[in-house]
Amino acid sequence: MGDFGAWLKAAEPTLRTSAAAVVTEHGRFTWSSLVDRARTLAAGLPPAPYGWVIPPGGGERTVVGLLALGLMDRSPRWVLGDPATWSASGPGTTGGAEPVPAGPQAAPPPHVDGPTYATATSGTTGRPKLLFGRPHSMAEAVELYVGGMPEYASAEVFATCSAIDFAAAFYMVVAPAMWLGRDLVLFRPSRWQTAVPELAGRPGICLVPPAIAVLGARTAAARRTFRGTCFVPAGGGLTPGRAERITEGFPASTFLTMLGSTETGLLTVSREVRDDGHVGRPLPGKPVWLEDAGPDGVGTLWTRGPDTRFAVTGGRLTARRDGSVSTGDLARRSGDGGYVLEGRADDLVKVDGVSVYPREITAAVRALEGVVDASVSVDRSGPLDRITVVAVGDVTEAQVRDACLRLPTPVTPYRVVRRHAEESAYDERGKVLR
Protein backbone atom coordinates (compact mmCIF):
# COMPACT_ATOMS: atom_id res chain seq x y z
CA MET A 1 0.00 0.00 0.00
CA GLY A 2 1.75 3.10 -1.19
CA ASP A 3 -1.09 5.59 -1.64
CA PHE A 4 -3.13 6.23 1.48
CA GLY A 5 -5.09 9.11 -0.01
CA ALA A 6 -8.88 9.43 -0.29
CA TRP A 7 -10.25 6.23 -1.82
CA LEU A 8 -13.37 8.02 -3.16
CA LYS A 9 -11.48 10.92 -4.71
CA ALA A 10 -11.83 9.58 -8.26
CA ALA A 11 -15.59 9.17 -7.84
CA GLU A 12 -16.26 12.66 -6.46
CA PRO A 13 -16.57 14.41 -9.86
CA THR A 14 -19.13 11.83 -10.97
CA LEU A 15 -21.14 12.23 -7.79
CA ARG A 16 -21.11 16.02 -7.98
CA THR A 17 -22.47 16.06 -11.54
CA SER A 18 -24.89 13.15 -11.23
CA ALA A 19 -28.65 13.78 -11.24
CA ALA A 20 -29.11 10.54 -9.33
CA ALA A 21 -29.86 10.35 -5.61
CA VAL A 22 -30.13 8.23 -2.49
CA VAL A 23 -33.82 7.43 -2.04
CA THR A 24 -35.37 6.43 1.29
CA GLU A 25 -38.86 6.64 2.77
CA HIS A 26 -37.82 10.08 4.03
CA GLY A 27 -37.16 11.53 0.60
CA ARG A 28 -34.71 11.89 -2.26
CA PHE A 29 -31.20 13.19 -1.53
CA THR A 30 -28.98 14.03 -4.49
CA TRP A 31 -25.44 12.75 -4.50
CA SER A 32 -24.17 16.32 -4.86
CA SER A 33 -25.93 17.43 -1.67
CA LEU A 34 -24.67 14.37 0.19
CA VAL A 35 -21.09 15.08 -0.89
CA ASP A 36 -21.42 18.61 0.49
CA ARG A 37 -22.71 17.22 3.79
CA ALA A 38 -19.87 14.69 3.82
CA ARG A 39 -17.23 17.36 3.31
CA THR A 40 -18.62 19.33 6.25
CA LEU A 41 -18.77 16.20 8.44
CA ALA A 42 -15.21 15.15 7.54
CA ALA A 43 -13.82 18.58 8.44
CA GLY A 44 -15.17 18.25 11.98
CA LEU A 45 -14.02 14.71 12.77
CA PRO A 46 -11.23 14.56 15.37
CA PRO A 47 -8.36 12.06 15.22
CA ALA A 48 -9.36 8.47 15.98
CA PRO A 49 -6.47 6.07 16.69
CA TYR A 50 -8.41 2.94 15.71
CA GLY A 51 -10.45 4.50 12.93
CA TRP A 52 -14.21 4.91 12.78
CA VAL A 53 -17.42 2.93 13.09
CA ILE A 54 -20.25 3.89 10.72
CA PRO A 55 -23.70 2.88 12.08
CA PRO A 56 -25.48 1.03 9.24
CA GLY A 57 -29.12 1.88 9.97
CA GLY A 58 -29.21 5.62 9.27
CA GLY A 59 -30.33 5.69 5.63
CA GLU A 60 -28.82 8.63 3.78
CA ARG A 61 -26.93 9.64 6.96
CA THR A 62 -25.00 6.37 6.81
CA VAL A 63 -24.16 7.12 3.17
CA VAL A 64 -22.93 10.58 4.25
CA GLY A 65 -20.65 8.86 6.78
CA LEU A 66 -19.25 6.57 4.09
CA LEU A 67 -18.66 9.53 1.80
CA ALA A 68 -17.00 11.56 4.56
CA LEU A 69 -14.47 8.87 5.37
CA GLY A 70 -13.97 8.10 1.68
CA LEU A 71 -13.12 11.71 0.91
CA MET A 72 -10.70 12.19 3.82
CA ASP A 73 -7.05 12.52 2.99
CA ARG A 74 -5.28 10.73 4.62
CA SER A 75 -7.69 7.78 4.38
CA PRO A 76 -8.69 6.35 7.79
CA ARG A 77 -9.61 2.84 8.82
CA TRP A 78 -13.33 2.24 9.21
CA VAL A 79 -15.91 -0.37 10.13
CA LEU A 80 -19.48 -0.56 8.86
CA GLY A 81 -21.27 -2.12 11.81
CA ASP A 82 -22.87 -1.88 15.25
CA PRO A 83 -21.23 0.85 17.39
CA ALA A 84 -22.30 -0.97 20.56
CA THR A 85 -19.94 -3.79 19.56
CA TRP A 86 -17.10 -2.02 17.77
CA SER A 87 -16.86 1.56 19.05
CA ALA A 88 -14.54 2.90 21.75
CA SER A 89 -17.59 3.61 23.92
CA GLY A 90 -18.55 -0.07 23.91
CA PRO A 91 -21.90 -1.66 24.82
CA GLY A 92 -23.46 1.55 26.12
CA THR A 93 -23.21 3.33 22.76
CA THR A 94 -26.61 4.58 21.58
CA GLY A 95 -28.24 6.92 19.12
CA GLY A 96 -26.99 8.80 16.09
CA ALA A 97 -25.98 7.75 12.61
CA GLU A 98 -22.71 9.67 12.35
CA PRO A 99 -19.32 7.92 12.56
CA VAL A 100 -18.05 7.25 16.08
CA PRO A 101 -14.45 6.41 17.11
CA ALA A 102 -13.66 2.71 16.91
CA GLY A 103 -12.20 0.78 19.83
CA PRO A 104 -9.19 -1.55 19.83
CA GLN A 105 -11.55 -4.51 19.35
CA ALA A 106 -12.21 -3.17 15.83
CA ALA A 107 -8.54 -3.07 14.80
CA PRO A 108 -7.21 -5.41 12.11
CA PRO A 109 -4.37 -7.81 12.95
CA PRO A 110 -1.26 -5.92 14.18
CA HIS A 111 0.85 -6.65 11.11
CA VAL A 112 -1.73 -5.10 8.71
CA ASP A 113 -0.62 -1.63 7.62
CA GLY A 114 -2.54 1.13 5.91
CA PRO A 115 -6.26 1.87 5.48
CA THR A 116 -8.73 -0.96 5.87
CA TYR A 117 -12.49 -1.31 5.88
CA ALA A 118 -14.51 -4.03 7.53
CA THR A 119 -18.03 -5.37 7.73
CA ALA A 120 -19.25 -7.68 10.46
CA THR A 121 -20.52 -11.21 10.18
CA SER A 122 -21.90 -13.52 12.83
CA GLY A 123 -20.30 -16.50 11.09
CA THR A 124 -21.43 -19.99 11.97
CA THR A 125 -20.87 -19.49 15.69
CA GLY A 126 -23.19 -16.52 16.17
CA ARG A 127 -20.32 -14.44 17.61
CA PRO A 128 -19.70 -11.25 15.64
CA LYS A 129 -16.38 -10.90 13.85
CA LEU A 130 -14.97 -8.38 11.41
CA LEU A 131 -13.59 -9.19 7.97
CA PHE A 132 -11.14 -6.68 6.56
CA GLY A 133 -10.45 -5.50 3.03
CA ARG A 134 -8.79 -2.53 1.33
CA PRO A 135 -11.08 0.44 0.54
CA HIS A 136 -8.80 1.43 -2.33
CA SER A 137 -9.69 -1.84 -4.12
CA MET A 138 -13.40 -1.04 -4.29
CA ALA A 139 -13.15 0.90 -7.56
CA GLU A 140 -11.53 -2.14 -9.17
CA ALA A 141 -14.26 -4.39 -7.72
CA VAL A 142 -17.01 -2.22 -9.21
CA GLU A 143 -15.18 -2.28 -12.56
CA LEU A 144 -15.10 -6.07 -12.30
CA TYR A 145 -18.88 -6.25 -11.80
CA VAL A 146 -19.65 -3.75 -14.56
CA GLY A 147 -17.31 -5.49 -16.99
CA GLY A 148 -18.56 -8.97 -16.15
CA MET A 149 -22.31 -8.37 -15.90
CA PRO A 150 -24.17 -6.29 -18.54
CA GLU A 151 -26.96 -5.83 -15.99
CA TYR A 152 -24.60 -3.82 -13.81
CA ALA A 153 -23.29 -1.74 -16.67
CA SER A 154 -26.80 -0.67 -17.71
CA ALA A 155 -28.34 -0.30 -14.23
CA GLU A 156 -29.82 3.11 -13.47
CA VAL A 157 -30.91 2.14 -9.97
CA PHE A 158 -29.54 -0.12 -7.22
CA ALA A 159 -31.93 -1.10 -4.42
CA THR A 160 -31.86 -3.19 -1.26
CA CYS A 161 -33.88 -3.73 1.90
CA SER A 162 -31.02 -5.60 3.57
CA ALA A 163 -28.95 -3.84 6.21
CA ILE A 164 -26.05 -2.27 4.36
CA ASP A 165 -23.48 -3.75 6.73
CA PHE A 166 -24.57 -7.10 5.25
CA ALA A 167 -21.56 -7.62 2.97
CA ALA A 168 -23.56 -8.48 -0.17
CA ALA A 169 -25.72 -5.37 0.18
CA PHE A 170 -22.62 -3.20 0.64
CA TYR A 171 -20.46 -4.42 -2.19
CA MET A 172 -23.20 -5.49 -4.64
CA VAL A 173 -25.51 -2.46 -4.23
CA VAL A 174 -24.09 0.44 -2.20
CA ALA A 175 -20.55 0.48 -3.62
CA PRO A 176 -21.62 0.32 -7.31
CA ALA A 177 -24.25 3.05 -6.84
CA MET A 178 -21.71 5.23 -5.06
CA TRP A 179 -18.91 4.76 -7.59
CA LEU A 180 -21.13 5.04 -10.67
CA GLY A 181 -23.32 7.87 -9.40
CA ARG A 182 -26.57 5.91 -9.87
CA ASP A 183 -29.79 5.98 -7.84
CA LEU A 184 -29.47 4.08 -4.57
CA VAL A 185 -32.75 2.97 -2.95
CA LEU A 186 -32.61 1.93 0.71
CA PHE A 187 -35.95 0.68 2.00
CA ARG A 188 -37.36 -1.38 4.83
CA PRO A 189 -38.84 -4.82 4.03
CA SER A 190 -42.29 -3.47 4.85
CA ARG A 191 -41.87 -0.34 2.68
CA TRP A 192 -41.95 -1.62 -0.87
CA GLN A 193 -43.89 1.49 -1.84
CA THR A 194 -40.54 3.29 -1.62
CA ALA A 195 -38.79 0.92 -4.04
CA VAL A 196 -41.50 -0.02 -6.56
CA PRO A 197 -41.78 3.39 -8.30
CA GLU A 198 -37.99 3.62 -8.58
CA LEU A 199 -37.65 0.16 -10.13
CA ALA A 200 -40.62 0.24 -12.51
CA GLY A 201 -39.65 0.60 -16.15
CA ARG A 202 -35.94 1.08 -15.46
CA PRO A 203 -32.88 -1.16 -15.69
CA GLY A 204 -31.78 -1.90 -12.15
CA ILE A 205 -30.48 -4.29 -9.52
CA CYS A 206 -32.59 -5.18 -6.47
CA LEU A 207 -30.95 -7.29 -3.76
CA VAL A 208 -33.52 -8.76 -1.35
CA PRO A 209 -34.20 -12.08 0.38
CA PRO A 210 -36.57 -14.12 -1.84
CA ALA A 211 -39.34 -14.28 0.77
CA ILE A 212 -39.34 -10.47 0.99
CA ALA A 213 -39.38 -10.19 -2.81
CA VAL A 214 -42.55 -12.32 -2.77
CA LEU A 215 -44.12 -9.82 -0.38
CA GLY A 216 -42.98 -7.02 -2.69
CA ALA A 217 -44.72 -8.74 -5.60
CA ARG A 218 -47.98 -8.29 -3.73
CA THR A 219 -47.33 -4.57 -3.45
CA ALA A 220 -46.38 -4.26 -7.13
CA ALA A 221 -49.36 -6.46 -8.09
CA ALA A 222 -48.50 -6.47 -11.81
CA ARG A 223 -49.67 -2.87 -12.22
CA ARG A 224 -46.47 -1.87 -14.03
CA THR A 225 -43.75 -3.48 -16.10
CA PHE A 226 -40.33 -4.22 -14.62
CA ARG A 227 -38.39 -5.03 -17.75
CA GLY A 228 -34.73 -4.51 -16.88
CA THR A 229 -35.14 -5.14 -13.14
CA CYS A 230 -32.86 -7.98 -11.98
CA PHE A 231 -33.57 -9.49 -8.60
CA VAL A 232 -30.51 -10.73 -6.72
CA PRO A 233 -31.50 -13.18 -3.94
CA ALA A 234 -29.86 -12.19 -0.66
CA GLY A 235 -28.82 -15.27 1.28
CA GLY A 236 -30.01 -17.77 -1.33
CA GLY A 237 -33.24 -19.72 -1.05
CA LEU A 238 -34.61 -18.73 -4.47
CA THR A 239 -36.63 -21.66 -5.83
CA PRO A 240 -38.40 -21.93 -9.21
CA GLY A 241 -41.77 -21.73 -7.45
CA ARG A 242 -40.79 -18.62 -5.55
CA ALA A 243 -39.36 -17.03 -8.71
CA GLU A 244 -42.71 -17.56 -10.43
CA ARG A 245 -44.53 -15.78 -7.61
CA ILE A 246 -42.10 -12.85 -7.81
CA THR A 247 -42.47 -12.39 -11.58
CA GLU A 248 -46.25 -12.49 -11.27
CA GLY A 249 -46.07 -9.23 -9.32
CA PHE A 250 -43.03 -7.84 -11.13
CA PRO A 251 -43.79 -8.63 -14.80
CA ALA A 252 -40.80 -8.98 -17.15
CA SER A 253 -38.29 -8.92 -14.27
CA THR A 254 -35.39 -11.36 -14.29
CA PHE A 255 -33.01 -12.94 -11.80
CA LEU A 256 -29.28 -12.69 -11.32
CA THR A 257 -28.23 -15.40 -8.91
CA MET A 258 -24.73 -15.26 -7.47
CA LEU A 259 -22.41 -17.34 -5.34
CA GLY A 260 -20.18 -15.43 -2.97
CA SER A 261 -19.29 -14.78 0.64
CA THR A 262 -17.96 -11.98 2.82
CA GLU A 263 -14.46 -13.45 2.54
CA THR A 264 -14.45 -14.06 -1.21
CA GLY A 265 -16.71 -11.49 -2.78
CA LEU A 266 -18.51 -12.66 -5.93
CA LEU A 267 -17.49 -15.94 -7.60
CA THR A 268 -20.15 -17.17 -10.00
CA VAL A 269 -23.19 -15.77 -11.79
CA SER A 270 -26.26 -17.45 -13.25
CA ARG A 271 -29.37 -16.15 -14.95
CA GLU A 272 -31.30 -19.35 -14.34
CA VAL A 273 -33.31 -20.27 -11.25
CA ARG A 274 -32.47 -23.85 -10.38
CA ASP A 275 -32.73 -26.08 -7.36
CA ASP A 276 -30.11 -28.68 -8.28
CA GLY A 277 -27.08 -26.94 -6.76
CA HIS A 278 -25.85 -25.44 -10.04
CA VAL A 279 -24.51 -21.94 -9.24
CA GLY A 280 -23.47 -20.72 -12.68
CA ARG A 281 -20.18 -19.85 -14.28
CA PRO A 282 -17.32 -17.78 -12.86
CA LEU A 283 -17.76 -14.02 -13.08
CA PRO A 284 -15.69 -12.92 -16.09
CA GLY A 285 -12.35 -11.65 -14.86
CA LYS A 286 -12.59 -13.41 -11.48
CA PRO A 287 -10.36 -16.52 -11.17
CA VAL A 288 -12.25 -19.46 -9.61
CA TRP A 289 -10.84 -22.94 -9.15
CA LEU A 290 -11.09 -26.19 -7.15
CA GLU A 291 -8.47 -27.57 -4.81
CA ASP A 292 -8.06 -30.98 -3.17
CA ALA A 293 -10.54 -32.55 -5.57
CA GLY A 294 -11.21 -36.24 -4.98
CA PRO A 295 -11.86 -39.05 -7.48
CA ASP A 296 -15.46 -37.80 -7.80
CA GLY A 297 -14.24 -34.36 -8.89
CA VAL A 298 -15.49 -32.67 -5.71
CA GLY A 299 -13.12 -30.15 -4.16
CA THR A 300 -13.10 -26.86 -2.27
CA LEU A 301 -13.76 -23.58 -4.12
CA TRP A 302 -11.04 -20.92 -4.17
CA THR A 303 -10.76 -17.46 -5.71
CA ARG A 304 -8.93 -14.14 -5.54
CA GLY A 305 -9.80 -10.62 -6.63
CA PRO A 306 -10.37 -7.01 -5.55
CA ASP A 307 -13.55 -7.78 -3.59
CA THR A 308 -12.00 -10.43 -1.34
CA ARG A 309 -11.21 -9.92 2.35
CA PHE A 310 -7.84 -10.83 3.77
CA ALA A 311 -8.07 -10.88 7.57
CA VAL A 312 -10.44 -11.19 10.52
CA THR A 313 -10.41 -9.89 14.07
CA GLY A 314 -8.30 -11.98 16.41
CA GLY A 315 -5.12 -11.70 14.37
CA ARG A 316 -5.92 -14.38 11.81
CA LEU A 317 -5.37 -14.05 8.08
CA THR A 318 -7.93 -15.67 5.81
CA ALA A 319 -5.98 -15.10 2.61
CA ARG A 320 -2.81 -16.64 1.28
CA ARG A 321 0.13 -14.43 0.39
CA ASP A 322 -1.15 -14.19 -3.21
CA GLY A 323 -4.59 -13.07 -1.98
CA SER A 324 -6.36 -16.39 -2.56
CA VAL A 325 -9.26 -17.26 -0.25
CA SER A 326 -11.63 -20.21 0.00
CA THR A 327 -15.42 -20.14 0.26
CA GLY A 328 -15.43 -23.36 2.27
CA ASP A 329 -17.88 -24.77 -0.29
CA LEU A 330 -17.49 -28.21 -1.78
CA ALA A 331 -18.23 -28.22 -5.51
CA ARG A 332 -17.62 -29.98 -8.81
CA ARG A 333 -17.38 -28.68 -12.36
CA SER A 334 -20.44 -28.91 -14.57
CA GLY A 335 -20.49 -29.66 -18.27
CA ASP A 336 -21.20 -26.03 -19.18
CA GLY A 337 -18.10 -24.71 -17.43
CA GLY A 338 -19.92 -23.77 -14.25
CA TYR A 339 -20.00 -25.27 -10.77
CA VAL A 340 -22.41 -27.45 -8.82
CA LEU A 341 -22.37 -27.22 -5.02
CA GLU A 342 -22.03 -30.42 -3.05
CA GLY A 343 -22.20 -28.98 0.47
CA ARG A 344 -19.69 -27.25 2.71
CA ALA A 345 -16.50 -28.57 4.17
CA ASP A 346 -17.50 -27.24 7.60
CA ASP A 347 -21.14 -28.39 7.29
CA LEU A 348 -20.37 -32.07 7.07
CA VAL A 349 -22.03 -33.76 10.04
CA LYS A 350 -22.07 -37.29 11.31
CA VAL A 351 -25.51 -38.80 11.90
CA ASP A 352 -25.29 -42.27 13.40
CA GLY A 353 -21.71 -42.38 12.15
CA VAL A 354 -22.66 -41.54 8.56
CA SER A 355 -21.63 -38.37 6.68
CA VAL A 356 -24.55 -36.09 5.77
CA TYR A 357 -24.63 -32.71 4.03
CA PRO A 358 -27.39 -30.26 5.04
CA ARG A 359 -27.96 -29.29 1.38
CA GLU A 360 -29.35 -32.77 0.73
CA ILE A 361 -31.84 -32.29 3.57
CA THR A 362 -33.02 -28.85 2.41
CA ALA A 363 -33.43 -30.11 -1.17
CA ALA A 364 -35.64 -32.97 0.03
CA VAL A 365 -37.79 -30.69 2.19
CA ARG A 366 -38.13 -28.02 -0.53
CA ALA A 367 -39.38 -30.73 -2.90
CA LEU A 368 -42.45 -31.27 -0.70
CA GLU A 369 -45.70 -29.80 -1.99
CA GLY A 370 -46.54 -26.58 -0.16
CA VAL A 371 -42.96 -25.84 0.94
CA VAL A 372 -41.48 -22.57 -0.33
CA ASP A 373 -38.18 -22.62 1.57
CA ALA A 374 -36.16 -24.67 4.03
CA SER A 375 -32.96 -24.47 6.02
CA VAL A 376 -30.85 -26.68 8.23
CA SER A 377 -28.75 -25.79 11.26
CA VAL A 378 -26.50 -28.00 13.32
CA ASP A 379 -25.96 -27.68 17.08
CA ARG A 380 -22.52 -29.03 17.97
CA SER A 381 -22.50 -27.83 21.58
CA GLY A 382 -23.32 -31.23 23.05
CA PRO A 383 -21.81 -34.70 22.80
CA LEU A 384 -23.91 -35.43 19.69
CA ASP A 385 -24.67 -33.28 16.64
CA ARG A 386 -28.30 -32.18 16.67
CA ILE A 387 -30.02 -31.14 13.45
CA THR A 388 -32.85 -28.62 13.28
CA VAL A 389 -34.88 -28.38 10.07
CA VAL A 390 -36.89 -25.22 9.33
CA ALA A 391 -39.69 -25.65 6.77
CA VAL A 392 -41.51 -22.59 5.42
CA GLY A 393 -44.95 -23.20 3.94
CA ASP A 394 -47.99 -25.43 4.29
CA VAL A 395 -46.51 -28.70 5.51
CA THR A 396 -46.70 -30.94 8.57
CA GLU A 397 -43.87 -32.03 10.83
CA ALA A 398 -44.59 -35.64 9.89
CA GLN A 399 -44.11 -34.85 6.18
CA VAL A 400 -40.78 -33.16 6.89
CA ARG A 401 -39.54 -36.06 8.99
CA ASP A 402 -40.67 -38.56 6.37
CA ALA A 403 -38.77 -36.67 3.65
CA CYS A 404 -35.63 -36.79 5.80
CA LEU A 405 -36.03 -40.53 6.40
CA ARG A 406 -36.40 -41.17 2.66
CA LEU A 407 -33.01 -39.65 1.86
CA PRO A 408 -30.35 -42.04 0.46
CA THR A 409 -28.69 -41.54 3.84
CA PRO A 410 -31.67 -41.32 6.22
CA VAL A 411 -31.68 -38.44 8.71
CA THR A 412 -33.68 -38.03 11.92
CA PRO A 413 -33.93 -34.31 12.83
CA TYR A 414 -33.68 -33.44 16.50
CA ARG A 415 -36.23 -30.68 15.92
CA VAL A 416 -38.56 -29.56 13.09
CA VAL A 417 -39.72 -25.93 13.00
CA ARG A 418 -42.62 -24.93 10.73
CA ARG A 419 -43.10 -21.33 9.59
CA HIS A 420 -45.85 -19.64 7.60
CA ALA A 421 -45.25 -19.07 3.88
CA GLU A 422 -44.95 -15.32 4.49
CA GLU A 423 -41.96 -15.92 6.73
CA SER A 424 -38.44 -16.96 5.81
CA ALA A 425 -35.98 -19.62 6.86
CA TYR A 426 -33.27 -16.93 6.83
CA ASP A 427 -32.76 -13.53 8.40
CA GLU A 428 -32.02 -10.32 6.45
CA ARG A 429 -28.32 -11.22 6.35
CA GLY A 430 -29.00 -14.64 4.84
CA LYS A 431 -28.27 -16.49 8.07
CA VAL A 432 -30.31 -19.52 9.10
CA LEU A 433 -33.10 -18.74 11.55
CA ARG A 434 -32.86 -21.27 14.35
Side-chain angles (χ1 to χ4, degrees):
M1 296 297 296
D3 180 12
F4 293 165
W7 53 269
L8 258 178
K9 184 176 182 179
E12 185 176 6
T14 298
L15 294 173
R16 285 203 175 276
T17 59
S18 174
V22 175
V23 180
T24 74
E25 62 187 83
H26 301 297
R28 185 178 182 87
F29 308 88
T30 65
W31 282 111
S32 179
S33 68
L34 296 181
V35 168
D36 288 339
R37 288 168 57 180
R39 283 291 189 188
T40 301
L41 174 61
L45 291 177
Y50 297 105
W52 297 90
V53 178
I54 307 173
E60 92 283 354
R61 293 176 298 167
T62 292
V63 176
V64 169
L66 286 169
L67 292 172
L69 299 185
L71 294 172
M72 288 178 66
D73 194 8
R74 166 180 183 116
S75 180
R77 290 173 169 169
W78 53 273
V79 168
L80 185 60
D82 178 17
T85 302
W86 306 112
S87 75
S89 301
T93 305
T94 59
E98 294 185 352
V100 295
Q105 72 275 23
H111 51 279
V112 174
D113 295 323
T116 61
Y117 77 98
T119 56
T121 176
S122 62
T124 57
T125 65
R127 290 175 295 185
K129 64 181 179 181
L130 295 177
L131 290 101
F132 294 90
R134 297 292 189 187
H136 293 79
S137 70
M138 276 191 274
E140 187 180 349
V142 172
E143 291 174 1
L144 179 69
Y145 302 152
V146 170
M149 296 179 286
E151 297 87 348
Y152 267 69
S154 63
E156 297 176 3
V157 56
F158 292 85
T160 186
C161 68
S162 296
I164 64 174
D165 58 336
F166 174 38
F170 175 70
Y171 63 71
M172 300 308 303
V173 173
V174 177
M178 192 161 52
W179 273 97
L180 301 173
R182 308 289 168 79
D183 281 338
L184 171 62
V185 182
L186 305 175
F187 65 102
R188 291 182 292 159
S190 60
R191 296 284 299 184
W192 273 97
Q193 58 267 43
T194 300
V196 167
E198 300 294 332
L199 294 169
R202 304 172 66 193
I205 301 294
C206 185
L207 184 143
V208 293
I212 295 175
V214 170
L215 296 178
R218 298 177 185 176
T219 301
R223 289 189 290 267
R224 315 182 193 199
T225 182
F226 292 86
R227 188 174 305 279
T229 297
C230 290
F231 284 97
V232 178
L238 180 64
T239 63
R242 182 166 280 177
E244 183 177 350
R245 295 169 65 188
I246 294 170
T247 53
E248 286 175 358
F250 294 101
S253 63
T254 57
F255 298 93
L256 196 60
T257 59
M258 306 173 180
L259 174 68
S261 70
T262 309
E263 292 88 348
T264 64
L266 181 58
L267 278 82
T268 65
V269 177
S270 175
R271 292 162 181 84
E272 299 178 275
V273 179
R274 301 171 58 162
D275 56 4
D276 59 356
H278 189 279
V279 291
R281 299 180 182 181
L283 172 69
K286 186 80 178 281
V288 180
W289 65 92
L290 293 175
E291 294 192 5
D292 302 319
D296 57 358
V298 175
T300 54
L301 274 170
W302 284 77
T303 189
R304 62 176 175 269
D307 54 348
T308 59
R309 310 298 180 91
F310 58 83
V312 300
T313 45
R316 182 169 59 88
L317 289 180
T318 61
R320 294 173 175 166
R321 297 187 69 175
D322 67 352
S324 300
V325 289
S326 175
T327 67
D329 291 303
L330 297 173
R332 58 179 171 82
R333 295 300 299 263
S334 58
D336 63 356
Y339 288 92
V340 178
L341 294 185
E342 296 291 347
R344 284 187 57 82
D346 58 1
D347 268 356
L348 176 65
V349 294
K350 295 288 186 177
V351 179
D352 297 329
V354 179
S355 298
V356 174
Y357 290 104
R359 189 179 71 82
E360 297 177 346
I361 304 173
T362 57
V365 176
R366 285 174 180 157
L368 294 172
E369 184 177 355
V371 174
V372 296
D373 204 357
S375 66
V376 171
S377 60
V378 182
D379 180 2
R380 298 186 177 91
S381 61
L384 298 175
D385 290 330
R386 291 180 169 181
I387 294 175
T388 294
V389 178
V390 178
V392 181
D394 185 12
V395 67
T396 67
E397 180 176 339
Q399 289 173 312
V400 173
R401 290 188 177 277
D402 181 64
C404 293
L405 289 174
R406 287 188 283 106
L407 287 167
T409 303
V411 173
T412 302
Y414 174 72
R415 188 164 66 108
V416 173
V417 177
R418 295 179 297 124
R419 301 187 187 278
H420 295 298
E422 290 76 14
E423 301 181 66
S424 174
Y426 305 87
D427 66 15
E428 64 178 7
R429 298 173 183 273
K431 299 296 184 181
V432 173
L433 289 170
R434 300 176 186 273

